[in-house]
Amino acid sequence: MFKIEARDDPKSQVQLHELEYPHRLNFYDKPPLYDVSIEEFETSALDRLRILAEIESSRVRNRSWEETKKVTGDQCDKYLQLKSTLAVGVDRDAQRRKDHLGHFVLRLAFCRSEELRRRFVQAEMTLFKVRYETDASTEREAFLRSRDFNWVAVEQAEKEKYREQLISYQSKGDTPFENDKYYKVRWTRVPDLVDKRKVFLHGGWAYVPSRDQSSIVYDEFQARLEKAMIITSRYMPRLDEDMRIGGILDNLSQGFLAGVSGEWSASPADMNGDAIKAEMVDELANKHFPMCMRNSHQKLRMDHRLNHFGRLQYGLFLKVLGVSVEESIVFWRKSFDRINDDTFNKMYKYNIRHSYGLEGKRANYPAKNCQQILTSGGDPGCPYRHFSPENLQSALLSTYAPLGLTSNDLPELMKTVKDGHYHVACTRVFEITHGSSGVKKGEGVGGGESVTHPNQYAKRSMDLQKEAEEKVAQMMITS
């Protein structure tokens, strides 16, 4: 289905009829039959998955439709722009090509089980609805005319025949009856409208006003996608033999588990303006670290040791946080205070320098993101996933009670954990413990985004404290 070697055929500044993708909206009827590179294959899917993962998070966090639409729009602006057909100065076909390819790659990743298919279709439906509502009316109409939705336009005579019944379903603010258009479809195609008693039913037909025309479109999109996902699943055994993409698809299918994050490689100046000293870590851990790193820090302080994977995970986190290699050596030496200098130098110093790219192959290793931590063996792992419910509740209270979390918050958090949305639970903890800094429910770590990386959590927490201190300083100067 996919070949290697990228092909780029930009068509910006062309007439509308010359566009390879004439509409911003897409039912994804045709698979991508052009050549793509492995890099394009993966990046197009990852950028789309960032959006779908945040849509999934919005659903779990019970965001309103307007909030979900805003968050989705913001994510699309960052990762998957899809400009109007009339937009100038942009390569519309390149944007739509990426959208098209990313959709089909994720089909491959999420067709493997009924649960993954369900979640993928649900997220894609939301993305389509957001685009449908935000599309220019003229372009939306052009898209609708380009497809056969198998609806029957109600003639004027029939409309007048059922005038009284049709008017009874109108609400204040709707288009006046005389100016409204109606379409007939079998009632099974608009179950949402039937359930809400928003349409007149007669003889097995639902009379749908133009204002609710979108329900027919959404139902058609969902039905087609569900059918396509089942068909795709039947061909997966063939693709599993392709070693080039098997690992990519496995990683993508974990996307709803922990969101999708990039590698954090911020310098100390980016993090907090000053390099972090070894003696500062205790205080920072108590105020700013996410649960996974707080757990590692507490284990280190209690046992004066961490296993290999614990040291690797926590050490890389501290490195990206802004702890220099010199300060890192000081920190770990003081932490391992039950061994002598010679043992420390032989067993640990080389590995610390290696993680900073100063030994061995001198690679600049990134800190582990949430997805990597969640899919690890569980030691140290993610507390939200790997702790028992009892231990998790106890740990949450003992760790975050000083920052504002109470037992009243536990039912909401534990339900989210039970449903498998671990990064959403972590995000909610961030919101609760930073309420005094002005963070409201649904804001996440900024712009509605969920936590997808421990350093993302810590950076935002430290930034909030810095902003608060700057405000106090400014008030003292002006007073």
Side-chain angles (χ1 to χ4, degrees), residues 309-323:
F309 294 107
R311 295 195 306 274
L312 178 63
Q313 179 175 298
Y314 191 44
L316 290 173
F317 168 79
L318 293 176
K319 165 192 167 184
V320 174
L321 190 70
V323 179

Side-chain angles (χ1 to χ4, degrees), residues 152 154 183-190 193-194 199-209 216:
V152 179
V154 177
Y183 303 88
K184 288 196 302 184
V185 294
R186 288 299 176 184
W187 69 269
T188 52
R189 292 186 58 191
V190 285
L193 298 181
V194 174
V199 289
F200 168 57
L201 301 177
H202 180 73
W205 294 94
Y207 288 69
V208 182
I216 305 173

Side-chain angles (χ1 to χ4, degrees), residues 286-290 294 384 396 399-406 409 413 425-439 457 461 464:
N286 291 332
K287 291 183 178 180
H288 304 297
F289 287 10
R294 284 287 293 270
Y384 296 98
L396 283 169
T399 302
Y400 292 113
L403 299 178
L405 188 142
T406 70
D409 298 311
L413 295 173
C426 186
T427 304
R428 185 66 188 120
V429 169
F430 180 91
E431 293 169 345
I432 293 169
T433 56
H434 292 80
S436 60
S437 298
V439 177
Y457 185 114
S461 180
L464 287 170

Side-chain angles (χ1 to χ4, degrees), residues 6 18 58 83 96-97 202 214 231 237 261 288 381 419 436 454:
E18 295 177 335
S58 293
K83 296 296 185 181
R96 295 173 188 187
R97 168 193 167 107
H202 180 73
S214 58
I231 294 173
S261 62
H288 304 297
D419 293 339
S436 60

Side-chain angles (χ1 to χ4, degrees), residues 234-339:
R234 296 171 184 165
Y235 289 93
M236 276 307 298
R238 300 182 188 179
L239 285 174
D240 286 339
E241 299 174 2
D242 192 331
M243 300 300 294
R244 298 170 300 172
I245 64 175
I248 295 174
L249 296 179
D250 287 339
N251 288 333
L252 290 171
S253 64
Q254 296 289 332
F256 284 153
L257 183 66
V260 185
S261 62
E263 294 180 354
W264 278 74
S265 56
S267 67
D270 293 328
M271 292 297 297
N272 68 336
D274 296 296
I276 296 174
K277 304 296 183 182
E279 62 267 20
M280 298 167 59
V281 176
D282 283 338
E283 182 179 358
L284 291 175
N286 291 332
K287 291 183 178 180
H288 304 297
F289 287 10
M291 188 73 167
C292 54
M293 298 304 152
R294 284 287 293 270
N295 182 51
S296 293
H297 187 79
Q298 289 168 355
K299 275 188 176 181
L300 181 60
R301 287 292 176 254
M302 289 176 60
D303 302 335
H304 301 269
R305 64 178 298 275
L306 283 176
N307 64 29
H308 171 74
F309 294 107
R311 295 195 306 274
L312 178 63
Q313 179 175 298
Y314 191 44
L316 290 173
F317 168 79
L318 293 176
K319 165 192 167 184
V320 174
L321 190 70
V323 179
S324 67
V325 63
E326 294 81 9
E327 290 297 322
S328 185
I329 292 172
V330 172
F331 171 80
W332 288 106
R333 179 65 193 98
K334 289 183 177 179
S335 299
F336 296 153
D337 57 3
R338 294 178 179 175
I339 60 176

Side-chain angles (χ1 to χ4, degrees), residues 171-220:
S171 302
K172 184 177 180 181
D174 289 344
T175 303
F177 175 77
E178 288 72 15
N179 300 332
D180 207 356
K181 294 181 180 179
Y182 285 83
Y183 303 88
K184 288 196 302 184
V185 294
R186 288 299 176 184
W187 69 269
T188 52
R189 292 186 58 191
V190 285
D192 57 327
L193 298 181
V194 174
D195 181 59
K196 296 175 183 176
R197 300 179 182 274
K198 297 183 67 176
V199 289
F200 168 57
L201 301 177
H202 180 73
W205 294 94
Y207 288 69
V208 182
S210 57
R211 67 179 178 274
D212 292 320
Q213 189 181 33
S214 58
S215 289
I216 305 173
V217 180
Y218 300 156
D219 177 78
E220 183 81 1

